[in-house]
Amino acid sequence: MKVGVPKEIKTHEYRVGLTPGAVREYVAAGHSVAVETNAGAGIGATDETYRKAGATILGSAREVFGSSELIVKVKEPQPSEWTQLRENQILFTYLHLAPDPEQAKGLLKSGCTAIAYETVTDAYGGLPLLAPMSEVAGRLSIEAAGAALKRYAGGRGLLIGGVPGVQAARIVVIGGGVVGTHAARMAVGLGAEVTILDRSIPRLRELDELFEGRARTRFSTIDAVEEEVFAADVVIGAVLVPGASAPKLVSRSMLSSMRKGSVIVDVAIDQGGCFETSRPTTHADPTYEVDGVIHYCVANMPGAVPLTSSQALNNATLPFGLALANKGFAAVLENQHLRAGLNVYRGRLTYKAVAESLGLPYSPIDQAAA
């Protein structure tokens, strides 16, 4: 199969869909790979490095899209990209369609087949292609919070871990999944006072055992969220409903009761965010203030550490990408986990939670492919 890797064009997005090592795997399996010039610059991979791995270097994204049957990316296609997609072409990337009706309409109009990393599943009920970036984003969320807490950035002027004799920052993590766990791990490591909220009792038990008392766990109710958020210096939003828009757990009215200069980091912003006042920001302008509360809502946090992120992502996506290259759409029909990743198929939405979030018709895969 002809595989294409365009250069990512989202603001300050430095990751790449295929690393040179992944390209070698595709080429070894008998596929041809076309990479847009400088696509790997963000991870220090030159065009010559890609050539040595077996790729052909093309001068523009248009050439890559025009010559490829399978497009492998990182971030959701931008308007200039989705207009280049076509029927019988497979797109394999993060999509996050639920809060993005324009992208959804663009993909539907293109007639392409779009498989979302974030809804591909595994045998354990997990999201294996979302997990590595969730790990990165969870850890980065504490770094981002630490920067935003600094007084010159508008924050309270707190050091996350404090110093002897001075209280450390209070960090509340809403959601005990992959993002929340890694955020809590970083915060605990820095010496913060950490509370994790979740609605799963079994998960809270696991977290309680994992942190051995170094982080508090609390069942997430409206009362609990309010009490913890009002007392917090940092609130990490780490709630995920696969494919669907994130629930709004902190309302605008709650901000007035939060500490002035406190910080919200909304890692769920790709799915619309779990704070009512969240809106996507970029690495170029990452924060804004509402009612005295600093909001950090960068929609591609792992793009700030592209070398780590690209390698971790490629490790996870490679088996699935090779399956698509080897068998085309038949791989989706044969593999239930890839099938869970199918969001768009020839003008139809095939992921129920996305369709419901967008208020558009849903077509189960067996009907869409009929």
Side-chain angles (χ1 to χ4, degrees):
M1 182 175 280
K2 296 178 180 178
V3 181
V5 184
K7 181 178 175 65
E8 298 295 323
I9 60 174
K10 191 161 186 171
T11 303
H12 286 292
E13 179 53 70
Y14 302 107
R15 289 171 290 181
V16 63
L18 293 181
T19 62
V23 167
R24 287 191 68 185
E25 298 291 334
Y26 278 82
V27 172
H31 307 291
S32 63
V33 181
V35 177
E36 183 181 352
T37 184
N38 294 320
I43 64 168
T46 64
D47 288 351
E48 183 57 29
T49 303
Y50 276 102
R51 287 193 185 95
K52 288 180 179 178
T56 299
I57 304 300
L58 298 180
S60 68
R62 185 164 297 279
E63 291 177 81
V64 173
F65 279 95
S67 63
S68 303
E69 300 165 282
L70 170 63
I71 299 292
V72 182
K73 280 176 45 60
V74 178
K75 287 305 291 176
E76 69 279 356
Q78 305 301 295
S80 64
E81 295 176 312
W82 72 57
T83 55
Q84 298 181 64
L85 293 165
R86 62 183 187 276
E87 193 172 340
N88 297 322
Q89 195 170 49
I90 299 174
L91 172 66
F92 192 38
T93 189
Y94 287 115
L95 294 177
H96 300 294
L97 290 176
D100 193 350
E102 292 307 310
Q103 184 202 168
K105 292 174 184 176
L107 293 181
L108 291 170
K109 185 177 179 181
S110 76
C112 78
T113 296
I115 299 166
Y117 291 162
E118 70 271 13
T119 61
V120 171
T121 59
D122 62 21
Y124 307 99
L127 302 170
L129 308 191
L130 184 61
M133 295 304 93
S134 295
E135 292 166 351
V136 172
R139 295 181 181 216
L140 283 176
S141 70
I142 302 304
E143 292 186 14
L149 273 175
K150 292 180 172 62
R151 192 69 191 94
Y152 62 74
R156 297 193 68 213
L158 278 177
L159 181 65
I160 282 181
V163 293
V166 179
Q167 185 173 342
R170 295 189 65 172
I171 297 182
V172 174
V173 181
I174 305 178
V178 177
V179 169
T181 301
H182 282 263
R185 181 173 289 168
M186 286 290 286
V188 165
L190 288 172
E193 182 182 328
V194 181
T195 300
I196 308 169
L197 297 169
D198 200 275
R199 294 187 69 87
S200 167
I201 295 294
R203 183 57 185 160
L204 290 173
R205 289 195 180 105
E206 292 173 353
L207 291 168
D208 196 58
E209 292 179 6
L210 175 65
F211 287 103
E212 298 179 330
R214 293 174 297 162
R216 292 193 305 136
T217 57
R218 190 169 182 187
F219 186 77
S220 183
T221 63
I222 295 173
D223 281 346
V225 170
E226 288 184 349
E227 289 173 13
E228 295 296 340
V229 166
F230 293 163
D233 300 303
V234 174
V235 183
I236 307 294
V239 178
L240 173 70
V241 179
S245 295
K248 307 299 183 189
L249 300 178
V250 176
S251 66
R252 171 69 183 266
S253 63
M254 292 171 66
L255 298 192
S256 61
S257 297
M258 293 180 65
R259 294 175 171 178
K260 300 304 178 186
S262 59
V263 174
I264 281 173
V265 180
D266 198 340
V267 189
I269 193 64
D270 272 332
Q271 295 295 135
C274 55
F275 305 106
E276 187 179 359
T277 46
S278 292
R279 56 176 172 80
T281 60
T282 68
H283 289 295
D285 188 15
T287 63
Y288 60 92
E289 177 265 328
V290 178
D291 295 344
V293 177
I294 308 302
H295 291 56
Y296 179 100
C297 304
V298 174
N300 61 327
M301 291 175 64
V305 287
L307 189 55
T308 296
S309 297
S310 294
Q311 290 175 349
L313 181 60
N314 274 246
N315 290 344
T317 60
L318 183 61
F320 295 97
L322 284 174
L324 288 169
N326 290 336
K327 297 184 177 182
F329 186 69
V332 176
L333 298 177
E334 294 174 8
N335 186 315
Q336 63 176 328
H337 304 302
L338 265 177
R339 192 160 61 248
L342 185 67
N343 280 213
V344 176
Y345 179 71
R346 295 189 176 184
R348 302 183 186 184
L349 281 175
T350 54
Y351 199 88
K352 188 174 183 180
V354 169
E356 290 176 344
S357 294
L358 294 172
L360 294 173
Y362 162 61
S363 296
I365 179 57
D366 55 344
Q367 295 178 16

